[in-house]
Amino acid sequence: MTTISSDFDVESVRRDFPILHQRLLGDVPLVYLDTAATAHKPRSVVAKVVECFEQYNSNVHRGIHQLGDRMTTELELAREKVQHFIGAGSSDEIVFTSGTTMSLNMVAHGWARKFLKPGDEILLNSMEHHANLVPWQLAAAATGASLKYIPLTDDGRLDLTTLDQLLTPRTKLLAVTAMSNVLGTINPVAELAERAHAVGALICVDAAQSVPHLTTNVRSPQIDFLAFSGHKLYGPTGIGVLYARRQLLEAMDPFLAGGHMIREVFLDSSTWADPPAKFEAGTCPFIEAVGLGAAIDYVQHIGLSQISHYEHLLSVRAHEQLAQVPGVKIHGPSVEHKGAILSFTVDGVHPHDLSDLLDRRGVAIRAGHHCTMPLHELLNLTATARASLAFYNTMEEVDALAEAVRAARQVFRLK
Amino acid sequence: MSGTQDDLYDDHILDHFESPYHKGHLPQPTCSHSDRNPICGDQITVELLVDEHDVVKEAFFDGKGCAISQASASILCEAIEGKTLQELRDFQAQNMLDLLKVRLTASRQKCGLLGFKVLKTMLYTLDEQREPASSG
Ligand SMILES: Cc1ncc(COP(=O)(O)O)c(C=O)c1O
């Protein structure tokens, strides 16, 4: 076995996450390996949310009173934190949404339905989460545009050998995940952005999985649309972000209509507020947004490069350990091309049985198609088991995963 | 603790999973139906050969999925042979769960009841088809 050295102080980090220190049925410690589904929240995030509720909860942008002022200031501060975290040029380019799904739907409605015409093409690929697939299907059906797919290599990466044929002046949008939520594949977003722009297409990046684990910069390469969720970034649920370049936000139609998104309302027509307000109709989840700001502070305090480095070491160990278990197949590219996500199958043990048996040992993984039915179709599998790691996991937990898989095989009487 | 988790994968379930009863297809089934659990993709087909007295002569299943869904379909087929269609109409989800002899959590009940659900839908369709014939 490789010896892995890291000066990352995981024990100290774990103290920030009270949820990790619990014992489950059968008095086994929790081993949480499902961060790709949702991440845990450090105390500082919980404390910030409680502070908002207890000290200055008040609707934003409206009341001219002290609480309203304070809440609005905190909300706009959170917006600036997001801006700096992803390298955007202005906080006006940060739209608060309810999550990745909402952000992508906003682009599909406000941009695609407005600008696409019959004959136009959207370039996708089959590793996408349903959230970055189904909205485009609907937009294509509504506009007469068609969907094209970049093929995948056998090991689950984008096969770019035919990209020149696929990217043509008809291509108006390339929508791609920065990191697959199943295979962990890290896609070459910089190259894709450059090549999409070369034919006049825009790029829309589903960054739900990448933002919590890799450094993001929307200006290098130049990204047109970028979506992510707060709850996968150690922040609250119900909050997410759509980044779009200012000209795009100005050109797009609003998605939801109502209060706050208007400039002037007459009886038979209205004009829109400037972005981001144009896309934030109604009362936005302002406390969740402030919680997201606190989560970004937390991640930056630890350091994304430290996080990436340590998670990679965990991932290497997990791959090594699991590969030694007979009958285990890990799907997707080799460890250097991916984030700390392992989707695997075990000969003779269905993923659901596996996750059930692992759960008895406190090991929380996920089984199913993980909202990627076309990808599973391609892999010729109905389901996979997925373990996803975060910087609060330990090497011992990774070993516990492999051990629990061995034990599950024994229950199934496999040699 | 009785019926605790660790009994779930007991010999009864695993034996049926490894050596299922009547897994495959009937050459000429009287009726058949398939369904899948959209969440996990587990899939079950049930086929029955029913005689003129409405008695199930043979029951077969086929499918893909977890041990619980596949073993319970096998247990179901074994249990329903020799029963009348009326007895099958009276057969309830709880009867199916009792046959499994293990306690399932809410999320695993969907697995354990997949074959049962397929059977029930099949009976319902069969009755629908017979209805117009008998009434006119
Ligand atoms: C790659 C990817 N895209 C989109 C989503 C959807 O995110 P949300 O459910 O937070 O909108 C997820 C989360 O499951 C994801 O992993």
Side-chain angles (χ1 to χ4, degrees):
Chain A
M1 198 191 306
T2 4
T3 45
I4 291 160
S5 69
S6 165
D7 40 17
F8 188 80
D9 189 357
V10 64
E11 285 314 322
S12 141
V13 163
R14 285 173 70 83
R15 283 195 286 277
D16 299 331
F17 293 85
I19 200 170
L20 297 175
H21 306 280
Q22 63 181 297
R23 300 184 85 81
L24 303 173
L25 286 177
D27 199 31
V28 292
L30 166 67
V31 175
Y32 186 78
L33 304 179
D34 197 18
T35 293
T38 200
H40 290 313
K41 326 303 172 197
R43 278 180 206 277
S44 59
V45 168
V46 178
K48 188 72 195 179
V49 168
V50 170
E51 178 190 296
C52 291
F53 279 123
E54 291 188 347
Q55 296 182 25
Y56 41 87
N57 169 53
S58 179
N59 210 334
V60 286
H61 302 304
R62 293 170 209 178
I64 309 185
H65 52 63
Q66 293 170 50
L67 298 193
D69 258 4
R70 172 78 194 270
M71 197 67 247
T72 306
T73 307
E74 292 278 349
L75 171 68
E76 293 311 318
L77 199 63
R79 200 186 300 278
E80 283 167 26
K81 287 176 185 174
V82 173
Q83 176 208 339
H84 297 303
F85 187 58
I86 64 170
S90 154
S91 64
D92 293 342
E93 296 176 321
I94 306 301
V95 178
F96 282 127
T97 67
S98 65
T100 308
T101 303
M102 169 76 143
S103 302
L104 294 168
N105 275 278
M106 248 182 209
V107 182
H109 278 260
W111 181 83
R113 285 178 196 231
K114 182 168 183 188
F115 294 110
L116 295 188
K117 300 180 300 303
D120 288 345
E121 292 173 0
I122 302 175
L123 190 52
L124 303 168
N125 70 83
S126 40
M127 77 172 81
E128 295 303 319
H129 187 283
H130 296 163
N132 199 25
L133 198 59
V134 185
W136 308 121
Q137 293 174 345
L138 292 178
T143 58
S146 51
L147 306 177
K148 286 274 162 76
Y149 287 84
I150 303 174
L152 303 189
T153 60
D154 287 343
D155 67 346
R157 289 184 287 155
L158 295 177
D159 179 354
L160 300 183
T161 49
T162 55
L163 190 63
D164 280 334
Q165 285 99 286
L166 288 165
L167 266 180
T168 71
R170 285 190 302 279
T171 316
K172 294 294 180 285
L173 183 76
L174 191 165
V176 67
T177 182
M179 186 194 289
S180 158
N181 64 313
V182 177
L183 303 174
T185 315
I186 295 171
N187 286 319
V189 169
E191 179 183 354
L192 292 169
E194 203 173 291
R195 291 176 71 175
H197 291 151
V199 297
L202 300 181
I203 184 164
C204 176
V205 177
D206 174 353
Q209 295 296 341
S210 64
V211 156
H213 306 285
L214 304 171
T215 305
T216 304
N217 188 326
V218 292
R219 284 189 293 176
S220 118
Q222 172 81 64
I223 300 301
D224 302 299
F225 302 104
L226 181 121
F228 64 94
S229 300
H231 71 99
K232 295 189 201 270
L233 181 57
Y234 314 99
T237 49
I239 185 76
V241 169
L242 171 65
Y243 159 83
R245 284 191 292 114
R246 184 195 298 271
Q247 302 94 299
L248 292 169
L249 289 176
E250 279 165 3
M252 279 165 71
D253 276 342
F255 180 43
L256 290 179
H260 187 62
M261 50 79 70
I262 42 75
R263 180 182 308 280
E264 282 183 303
V265 177
F266 309 101
L267 283 181
D268 50 5
S269 68
S270 302
T271 56
W272 313 138
D274 287 335
K278 177 181 169 186
F279 300 96
E280 293 179 354
T283 297
C284 83
F286 50 84
I287 292 184
E288 290 76 3
V290 173
L292 173 58
I296 289 175
D297 284 344
Y298 181 81
V299 164
Q300 287 188 319
H301 163 74
I302 296 184
L304 255 184
S305 58
Q306 256 84 346
I307 288 175
S308 303
H309 179 67
Y310 176 70
E311 288 176 344
H312 184 69
L313 297 180
L314 281 175
S315 181
V316 169
R317 168 88 152 228
H319 280 79
E320 282 175 359
Q321 292 286 311
L322 266 189
Q324 285 173 25
V325 182
V328 169
K329 176 162 172 38
I330 302 170
H331 303 277
S334 54
V335 67
E336 66 277 12
H337 297 294
K338 62 192 272 190
I341 294 177
L342 296 89
S343 286
F344 59 100
T345 42
V346 182
D347 283 345
V349 189
H350 188 277
H352 273 164
D353 296 319
L354 189 69
S355 68
D356 202 328
L357 287 164
L358 263 52
D359 181 53
R360 277 140 222 243
R361 299 179 144 241
V363 180
I365 62 156
R366 181 153 292 241
H369 54 60
H370 322 295
C371 297
T372 56
M373 284 169 96
L375 176 63
H376 280 75
E377 187 76 20
L378 196 74
L379 296 171
N380 200 17
L381 296 167
T382 47
T384 49
R386 180 184 74 183
S388 53
L389 309 169
F391 61 82
Y392 46 55
N393 290 125
T394 65
M395 296 293 168
E396 291 73 28
E397 289 182 313
V398 162
D399 296 350
L401 166 68
E403 203 39 51
V405 174
R406 283 180 206 277
R409 290 186 78 256
Q410 270 171 14
V411 171
F412 270 72
R413 306 163 177 168
L414 297 165
K415 295 270 148 31
Chain B
M1 293 200 285
S2 67
T4 54
Q5 301 181 330
D6 273 323
D7 308 329
L8 177 52
Y9 295 93
D10 68 358
D11 286 342
H12 180 226
I13 295 282
L14 287 174
D15 288 345
H16 271 277
F17 177 60
E18 278 174 16
S19 325
Y21 178 79
H22 277 191
K23 179 162 178 164
H25 292 274
L26 283 164
Q28 289 202 300
T30 316
C31 46
S32 84
H33 186 66
S34 312
D35 203 357
R36 51 167 60 213
N37 177 344
I39 297 168
C40 62
D42 282 8
Q43 189 236 318
I44 295 282
T45 300
V46 177
E47 296 177 350
L48 301 183
L49 186 69
V50 183
D51 72 8
E52 65 278 18
H53 307 295
D54 274 0
V55 173
V56 176
K57 301 307 280 180
E58 285 189 287
F60 269 74
F61 83 99
D62 199 11
K64 277 198 297 211
C66 67
I68 307 300
S69 69
Q70 303 304 304
S72 50
S74 167
I75 291 167
L76 176 72
C77 286
E78 194 176 55
I80 64 178
E81 285 189 354
K83 296 257 191 304
T84 63
L85 291 185
Q86 189 50 47
E87 283 174 308
L88 295 193
R89 287 185 198 105
D90 297 338
F91 185 66
Q92 298 301 317
Q94 192 53 52
N95 304 122
M96 181 70 228
L97 294 174
D98 292 344
L99 282 178
L100 300 182
K101 299 187 194 138
V102 291
R103 200 159 68 198
L104 299 182
T105 58
S107 61
R108 292 319 292 278
Q109 286 196 8
K110 294 199 180 63
C111 311
L113 291 174
L114 181 58
F116 170 82
K117 209 183 120 209
V118 168
L119 175 73
K120 283 291 179 183
T121 314
M122 181 166 68
L123 287 173
Y124 185 76
T125 322
L126 190 70
D127 290 344
E128 291 255 291
Q129 285 164 351
R130 287 181 172 188
E131 190 83 356
S134 57
S135 65

